Amino acid sequence: MASIIANISLPLVINGAKPSLIPTSNFPVCVFPVSERRGRLAVVVRATGDSSDSSGSLSVVESVQNLWDNGEDRIAVIGLGLTAVIAFWASLNLVAAIDKLPVIPGFLEFVGILFSSWFVYRYLLFKPDRQELFRNMNKSISNILGQ
């Protein structure tokens, strides 16, 4: 269950009316005055109902937490994190080194423009091609997730 709390100034919410606890019947929202600040309201919003677990980021976080809880796998998690940081740093240095060369950055920019133009022409310009792209993307995602 998720909650959001926001402080809102009174003129934006209620024009001159005295604030009070206002529960709404259709939405799980409550508005109540904040005592430490005059002229402000706090709004609490809570999500209710069933939530779908289709979010990939939550499952990644949960799997990392499960690996971290297992004492034997902590070294592997730390090693993977350190490897990711080192790979990111190395790729930044590689791009900076290539950017300093005289002809290669212009050539790579030209190749990027050509490839982007081809991609737009091949997959984005016409509706059947866009549908084919979406089918290919969904197939690749399902293969990666093992479905």
Side-chain angles (χ1 to χ4, degrees):
M1 175 182 261
S3 297
I4 298 173
I5 299 175
N7 289 324
I8 303 172
S9 63
L10 272 176
L12 293 176
V13 179
I14 301 171
N15 292 327
K18 184 177 178 183
S20 62
L21 185 61
I22 306 169
T24 59
S25 60
N26 295 336
F27 301 106
V29 175
C30 290
V31 178
F32 56 90
V34 178
S35 61
E36 65 264 2
R37 293 185 185 151
R38 298 183 136 227
R40 312 260 313 151
L41 291 178
V43 179
V44 179
V45 181
R46 295 209 170 136
T48 60
D50 295 334
S51 64
S52 64
D53 291 334
S54 63
S55 174
S57 63
L58 290 178
S59 62
V60 170
V61 170
E62 289 174 357
S63 63
V64 170
Q65 286 176 346
N66 291 339
L67 286 172
W68 186 258
D69 290 338
N70 188 359
E72 297 171 357
D73 294 336
R74 284 189 185 166
I75 295 173
V77 172
I78 292 171
L80 286 173
L82 186 61
T83 304
V85 169
I86 291 171
F88 182 70
W89 173 78
S91 65
L92 286 178
N93 285 332
L94 180 66
V95 169
I98 290 174
D99 196 32
K100 291 179 183 177
L101 297 173
V103 178
I104 293 180
F107 175 72
L108 291 178
E109 185 176 346
F110 180 68
V111 169
I113 290 171
L114 286 178
F115 183 78
S116 298
S117 301
W118 172 82
F119 184 82
V120 166
Y121 175 75
R122 172 67 177 93
Y123 289 112
L124 301 179
L125 204 55
F126 304 108
K127 187 173 183 176
D129 296 334
R130 285 192 300 267
Q131 292 171 348
E132 178 187 354
L133 175 66
F134 289 131
R135 280 194 305 270
N136 289 341
M137 287 173 47
N138 290 333
K139 183 179 176 184
S140 297
I141 290 171
S142 64
N143 285 341
I144 290 170
L145 296 178
Q147 297 174 351

